[in-house]
């Protein structure tokens, strides 16, 4: 039975009229979701949500969605100027170029902007938020971080009373898919990357995924949101997973750990630390259980304690879910400053010296299997002040050995010093691999 109160409320307000730029995987997902859940969305939003115009590269392609009666703009920036568009949904991607021009035109025209574009927000979020704040115009980007997980909303609203000192997690589904597959099937990196690309959740240029850039975009947005600090994408120390070998996964497992690409942001007296890179996570840590292409975010608030969010970080359905949640907020007139406080309140933070941070580390060395090599490694460690907690050596038939060790807590600088001392050694047959161990 219809709810008369809701029906009256919806009918009193005109529909929210959308202009959607980009009809790729996410764009078609958004169109499908808006169509399939239209009645529910109208009841929740208190008004209908309609699509009046779209823009895409190819007007004719059959995407399996209904576009009859919807205007088509070949120049996406034109969406912002249309009288029948109240809210532009940018699903094109790209740091600058057409996506940024559209975002600026939309906010400049006083219209709401919903975007899934993490690269654009990481690089230009402050400038866009300034326009948004100045005109009290909605700027929403839930889908830019961790896909379908409503983590922006949770941290921006649900946890907004807390001082958050640390936020971290698995922010790239492609890397998690690769690492968990390598772990489960003992396969090599390149082989599994090809499978991730075939499945369609890797970025158009998978270097963004495997070199950690995509996770760094998301981390910088989370850090600004959680800490009330200015966006500092360039301050994220970023490392990818290309150099992880099947042997690293095997040895980490033998030592009781999993290898995961972790984004970590901390605010401390020394300043802001932001890093993305492969880490060892204890096999019992919740992040060690995040399977396949899922994402997970952990935030620690001073009153709420530890919050853990897990879900799909990519894909048409989950990303559409986040995009349409933002659209519903716009329809309800529920928004507020994009970064949880006016942009002029976001503090500039100095960057902490990342190398000074202490913790245990995993070190993998490929060496010649001959007398004195172990002593050489031990001396380098000793001279750099690094103490070894546990150690595995495996020889192979080609006269080489793989050494995997875990250090006691020490600074990153100390381990780097030990590696420098070893770098000229004729015993090394490949570059060493060092990964921090997450101990939280
Ligand atoms: N390429 C991204 C990932 C898609 O793998 O997580 C979602 O941002």
């Amino acid at each position: 039975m219809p709810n008369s109160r809701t029906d009256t409320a919806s009918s009193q307000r005109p529909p929210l009229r959308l202009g959607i730029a980009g009809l790729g995987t996410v764009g078609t997902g958004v169109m499908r979701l808006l169509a399939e859940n239209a009645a529910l969305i109208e009841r929740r939003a208190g008004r209908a949500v309609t699509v009046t115009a779209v823009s895409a590269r190819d007007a004719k392609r059959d995407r399996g969605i209904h576009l009859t009666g919807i205007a088509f703009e070949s120049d996406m920036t034109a969406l912002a100027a249309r009288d029948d568009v109240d809210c532009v949904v940018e699903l094109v991607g790209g740091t600058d170029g057409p996506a940024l021009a559209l975002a600026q035109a939309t906010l400049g025209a006083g219209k709401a902007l919903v975007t899934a574009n993490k690269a654009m927000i990481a690089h230009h979020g402050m400038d866009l938020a300034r326009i948004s704040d100045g005109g009290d115009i909605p700027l929403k980007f839930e889908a830019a971080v961790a896909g379908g997980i409503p983590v922006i909303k949770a941290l921006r609203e649900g946890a907004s009373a807390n001082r958050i000192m640390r936020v971290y997690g698995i922010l790239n589904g492609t890397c998690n898919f690769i690492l968990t597959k390598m772990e489960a099937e003992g396969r090599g990196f390149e082989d599994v990357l090809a499978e991730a690309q075939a499945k369609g959740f890797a970025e158009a240029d998978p270097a963004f995924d495997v070199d950690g850039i995509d996770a760094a975009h998301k981390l910088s947005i989370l850090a600004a949101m959680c800490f009330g600090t200015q966006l500092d994408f360039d301050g994220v120390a970023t490392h990818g997973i290309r150099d992880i070998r099947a042997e690293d996964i095997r040895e980490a497992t033998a030592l009781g750990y999993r290898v995961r690409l972790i984004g970590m942001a901390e605010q401390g007296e020394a300043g802001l630390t932001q890093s993305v890179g492969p880490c060892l996570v204890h096999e019992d840590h919740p992040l060690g259980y995040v399977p396949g292409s899922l994402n997970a975010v952990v935030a620690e608030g001073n009153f709420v304690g530890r919050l853990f969010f897990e879900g799909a970080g990519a894909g048409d359905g989950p990303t559409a879910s986040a995009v349409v949640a933002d659209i519903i907020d716009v329809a309800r007139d529920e928004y507020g400053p994009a970064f949880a406080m006016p942009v002029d309140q976001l503090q500039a933070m100095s960057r902490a010296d990342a190398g000074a941070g202490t913790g245990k580390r995993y070190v993998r060395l490929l060496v010649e299997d001959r007398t004195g090599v172990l002593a050489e490694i031990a001396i380098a460690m000793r001279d750099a002040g690094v103490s070894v907690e546990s150690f595995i050596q495996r020889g192979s038939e080609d006269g080489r050995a793989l050494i995997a060790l875990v250090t006691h807590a020490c600074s990153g600088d100390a381990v780097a010093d030990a590696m420098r001392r070893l770098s000229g050694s004729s015993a090394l047959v490949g570059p060493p691999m060092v990964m921090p161990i997450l101990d939280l």
Side-chain angles (χ1 to χ4, degrees):
M1 201 175 124
N3 175 325
S4 57
R5 215 174 124 240
T6 313
D7 289 348
T8 310
S10 332
S11 60
Q12 281 169 352
R13 297 201 65 198
L16 179 76
R17 300 165 303 172
L18 305 177
I20 298 185
L23 290 179
T25 309
V26 178
T28 49
V30 167
M31 294 287 290
R32 277 196 300 107
L33 172 46
L34 286 169
E36 199 170 318
N37 289 357
L40 179 69
I41 289 168
E42 178 170 350
R43 285 165 60 208
R44 292 217 166 112
R47 61 200 286 204
V49 175
T50 59
V51 180
T52 46
V54 294
S55 178
R57 258 201 298 257
D58 180 354
K60 299 223 164 59
R61 207 178 103 208
D62 180 9
R63 299 171 172 90
I65 51 174
H66 295 293
L67 294 173
T68 317
I70 298 176
F72 185 90
E73 295 284 1
S74 47
D75 169 14
M76 69 168 99
T77 315
L79 292 173
R82 289 184 68 100
D83 290 338
D84 59 357
V85 167
D86 309 308
C87 171
V88 169
V89 184
E90 185 276 305
L91 304 172
V92 175
T95 309
D96 310 293
L100 181 62
L102 175 61
Q104 289 164 335
T106 300
L107 295 170
K111 296 183 182 182
L113 178 71
V114 172
T115 177
N117 188 335
K118 52 240 166 164
M120 181 180 76
I121 295 297
H123 286 272
H124 303 291
M126 301 264 301
D127 290 338
L128 295 174
R130 247 174 233 115
I131 312 176
S132 155
D133 284 359
D136 190 23
I137 308 157
L139 166 60
K140 308 279 294 173
F141 44 81
E142 179 67 68
V145 178
I149 308 176
V151 67
I152 294 287
K153 195 168 186 73
L155 296 173
R156 189 180 170 281
E157 298 176 26
S160 63
N162 287 262
R163 177 176 290 279
I164 296 177
M165 305 309 289
R166 186 184 288 133
V167 62
Y168 60 102
I170 293 170
L171 300 174
N172 183 270
T174 301
C175 286
N176 208 56
F177 175 83
I178 293 173
L179 292 171
T180 51
K181 273 269 173 186
M182 287 172 75
E183 185 181 291
E185 298 173 11
R187 289 159 62 192
F189 169 79
E190 294 292 346
D191 181 24
V192 188
L193 170 61
E195 191 181 333
Q197 285 177 284
K199 284 190 180 293
F201 40 73
E203 296 297 305
D205 175 0
F208 274 74
D209 295 302
V210 300
D211 293 334
I213 301 160
D214 174 76
H217 287 146
K218 296 165 182 168
L219 183 76
S220 64
I221 298 169
L222 278 178
M225 186 73 65
C226 287
F227 306 150
T229 50
Q230 294 180 3
L231 271 168
D232 184 18
F233 169 73
D234 290 337
V236 185
T238 306
H239 301 279
I241 62 166
R242 285 182 200 270
D243 297 332
I244 308 277
R245 301 168 64 112
E247 293 92 324
D248 291 313
I249 309 257
R250 185 189 67 207
E251 301 313 333
T253 305
L255 291 160
Y257 295 97
R258 311 255 181 258
V259 180
R260 298 287 182 261
L261 185 80
I262 300 291
M264 162 75 70
E266 286 180 282
Q267 188 185 202
E269 280 173 16
L272 183 62
T273 310
Q274 300 179 97
S275 64
V276 167
C279 288
L280 266 63
V281 173
H282 196 271
E283 59 190 2
D284 293 333
H285 193 284
L287 291 177
Y289 289 99
V290 177
S293 63
L294 295 195
N295 283 193
V297 178
V298 184
E300 295 171 4
N302 63 338
F303 272 67
V304 72
R306 183 192 280 189
L307 296 167
F308 184 85
F309 307 90
E310 184 191 52
D316 56 345
T319 312
S321 162
V323 169
V324 177
D326 277 349
I327 293 170
I328 292 173
D329 274 354
V330 172
R332 289 168 167 163
D333 292 326
E334 284 179 6
Y335 50 99
F339 287 95
M341 61 179 73
V343 74
D344 62 11
Q345 294 288 317
L346 297 174
Q347 291 175 336
M349 279 285 276
S350 57
R351 297 174 189 165
D353 173 6
T358 58
K360 293 182 182 184
R361 278 162 172 89
Y362 165 93
V363 180
R364 178 257 293 156
L365 299 159
L366 295 171
V367 297
E368 289 179 6
D369 194 358
R370 59 171 166 74
T371 309
V373 171
L374 211 49
E376 241 185 274
I377 295 168
I379 288 167
M381 293 289 183
R382 180 198 66 192
D383 292 350
V386 177
S387 171
V388 175
E389 182 191 87
S390 51
F391 171 94
I392 293 172
Q393 174 172 337
R394 293 188 204 276
S396 61
E397 284 170 5
D398 61 2
R400 294 173 170 187
L402 180 141
I403 293 175
L405 58 87
V406 171
T407 71
H408 283 291
C410 61
S411 71
D413 287 341
V415 176
D417 181 26
M419 296 305 107
R420 247 189 321 272
R421 289 168 190 273
L422 280 173
S423 61
S425 167
S426 61
L428 286 193
V429 294
M433 176 78 196
V434 178
M435 290 186 264
I437 297 180
L438 191 76
D439 189 19
L440 296 169

